[in-house]
Structures are given as C-alpha cells and as structure tokens.
Amino acid sequence: MYAKIPEMVRAAEERAEKTSFEQSCEPAVGALLGALAAAVPRGGRILELGTGTGVGTAWLASGVGPRTDVTLTTVEVVPELAESVRAAGLPDWVDVVTGDALDVVPRLGRFDLIFADAVAGKWEGLDVTLGALAPGGILVVDDMQPARYDRPEHRAVVDRIRATLASDPELATADFVEATGLMLATRRAA
Ligand SMILES: C[S@@+](CC[C@H](N)C(=O)[O-])C[C@H]1O[C@@H](n2cnc3c(N)ncnc32)[C@H](O)[C@@H]1O
C-alpha cells in the first residue's frame, strides 16, 4: 500500500496489539475511509459504528486533517474500549459515545459518511443505519466478502445485506468484493 500510515492510526494499532484486539480495519479500508472523510463538506458529520481501539476512528480523523468544521461520532458498546480511545487524545471534534449502536444512533440525526463496522447497525438493524444516512451521504460497510465466513448462516446474512443495499432505489452502490486494484483519491475540501 502506498498510503502513509498516519501517526494517530499507528497509536491505535498499538493499542489493539497490546490488548490483543483483532478486529481493527485493514490499512486499505482505513485509507479509503480517510479519502472519503476528506470530502465531507463544511459542517459535515461522520459516524462510525464500533470503535474498537480506534483504528478506523483514527483513519477517519486523519482524512479530515486539520479542519475543525466536521464532527466525528464513534459508538462503542464496550466501555473499556470507548474509554481507551477517549484517553488517546483525539481532536476535540471526535466524540466517543459508549452504548449500543441500535439505541444510540436513532437519537443522533443524520450523517454524511457512515462506517458501519459493528454487528449492530449492519448484521442487525441495517435500517437504523440507513435512516441516519443523509442525502448525498456515503455508507461504508466492511467485511462483505461471503467467502470470509465458514458458516452458511453467516454467508446468508452477508448476502442479505449486500442484496438490501444493492436493491434500494435510493442508493447507488459500488461492490468491491471482487476488486483487485481499486484506488480512490479525494482532494481535501477547502
Ligand atoms: C470490527 S470492530 C470495530 C473496529 C473499528 N471500527 C476499527 O476499524 O478499528 C467491532 C466493534 O463493535 C463493537 N460492538 C459490538 N456490538 C456493538 C453494539 N451493539 N454497539 C456498538 N458497538 C458494538 C465491538 O465491541 C467492537 O469493538
């Protein structure tokens, strides 16, 4: 991968390593999140479901860069994980919310970029996440390769999510499951 790993991301990866947390997003996905976050308009809002140790959060925040006219809300159900990310000293426009995404998200309003990376709001309650997607907003859903899953019922869930998104007339979807060399570059908004 050519994209440089931002310092904030390295710190979050170290927290993951120290705590044996193995569910952080891959660098290629993180870099895509950063590229998309860079395009969020003035006053824009970003949401992440499932904070973990903050790797995805850090990619999103790094993509926003030095701007302070954007907010990033990340929701994590495990209090210790949420607290460790809060303690990491992220920019003050990043809000780490402790709670179940399905309870919290309906109260948060709408977002321009959503990274759905928890079971809640993806495997279950996808409608809640879609309800939080603003017109023109982008939803990123990771781990949608059915072959990653051994159990047929898990592959069926992934198929269902992909079919739901692809068949929604209000959504334009791009499915990179089979992609080999995707590169996306967004110029940071002024
Ligand atoms: C795949 S990991 C997130 C990784 C993180 N987004 C990243 O890129 O580094 C999924 C996270 O979702 C959290 N989670 C699970 N159920 C949840 C729920 N109902 N609401 C919010 N977070 C949840 C888990 O505790 C876990 O930390």
Side-chain angles (χ1 to χ4, degrees):
M1 194 182 83
Y2 291 99
K4 189 169 174 282
I5 309 276
E7 198 42 55
M8 218 190 295
V9 173
R10 283 207 188 286
E13 287 177 343
E14 275 171 26
R15 287 195 297 279
E17 212 170 299
K18 276 193 193 137
T19 55
S20 304
F21 183 86
E22 293 179 343
Q23 302 171 55
S24 302
C25 65
E26 299 288 328
V29 174
L32 173 63
L33 295 174
L36 295 173
V40 168
R42 190 177 293 279
R45 304 181 73 215
I46 304 172
L47 174 67
E48 179 186 42
L49 306 182
T51 314
T53 66
V55 174
T57 315
W59 275 111
L60 288 162
S62 302
V64 172
R67 298 168 61 198
T68 55
D69 57 359
V70 167
T71 61
L72 164 53
T73 303
T74 180
V75 185
E76 172 57 54
V77 77
V78 177
E80 295 75 20
L81 287 172
E83 194 43 51
S84 74
V85 176
R86 252 180 235 117
L90 293 167
D92 61 8
W93 43 266
V94 179
D95 188 18
V96 185
V97 176
T98 305
D100 184 325
L102 293 184
D103 293 336
V104 172
V105 171
R107 297 197 297 265
L108 295 179
R110 289 188 148 189
F111 292 85
D112 303 287
L113 173 61
I114 301 179
F115 179 35
D117 201 27
V119 169
K122 181 168 76 168
W123 285 53
E124 59 195 53
L126 181 62
D127 55 325
V128 170
T129 305
L130 288 173
L133 191 64
I138 298 175
L139 169 65
V140 178
V141 187
D142 198 9
D143 302 323
M144 286 295 102
Q145 169 57 271
R148 288 172 63 102
Y149 302 93
D150 295 332
R151 295 169 61 176
E153 62 269 33
H154 290 170
R155 288 200 293 274
V157 174
V158 170
D159 276 339
R160 175 176 52 74
I161 296 166
R162 293 175 62 197
T164 300
L165 296 175
S167 64
D168 187 329
E170 290 192 16
L171 300 173
T173 54
D175 189 343
F176 298 127
V177 170
E178 287 91 19
T180 51
L182 172 81
M183 191 156 180
L184 187 149
T186 307
R187 186 179 303 286
R188 211 162 259 149

